[in-house]
Amino acid sequence: MANVAFIGLANLGGPMANNLDKAGNAVMVVDLSETACLHRQSAGESVADSSAAAAVGVYYVFCMLPAGK
């Protein structure tokens, strides 16, 4: 499987990151919500300090963001 980063873990991003993890991918996540990150970390995913850090060494970067900023 692949090393992937997932940026944005709200209504759509969290379940999508979860599905990637269940499929056997190594998932690195990042979100502005500490609660969302801790939830994904308890599920076995790695948490990055920033979007830039999440994108290092991964093959795919997924972004599920509500706005451009």
Side-chain angles (χ1 to χ4, degrees), residues 1-64:
M1 290 291 149
N3 292 334
V4 299
F6 211 100
I7 302 167
L9 301 171
N11 295 331
L12 293 174
M16 293 172 82
N18 186 44
N19 286 337
L20 288 168
D21 184 41
K22 284 183 180 179
N25 298 288
V27 181
M28 174 74 69
V29 298
V30 67
D31 194 274
L32 295 177
S33 166
E34 184 177 345
T35 303
C37 289
L38 291 174
H39 179 69
R40 299 299 342 134
Q41 188 174 34
S42 69
E45 297 161 16
S46 301
V47 177
D49 293 334
S50 68
S51 297
V56 174
V58 298
Y59 196 73
Y60 298 104
V61 176
F62 295 91
C63 296
M64 190 59 62

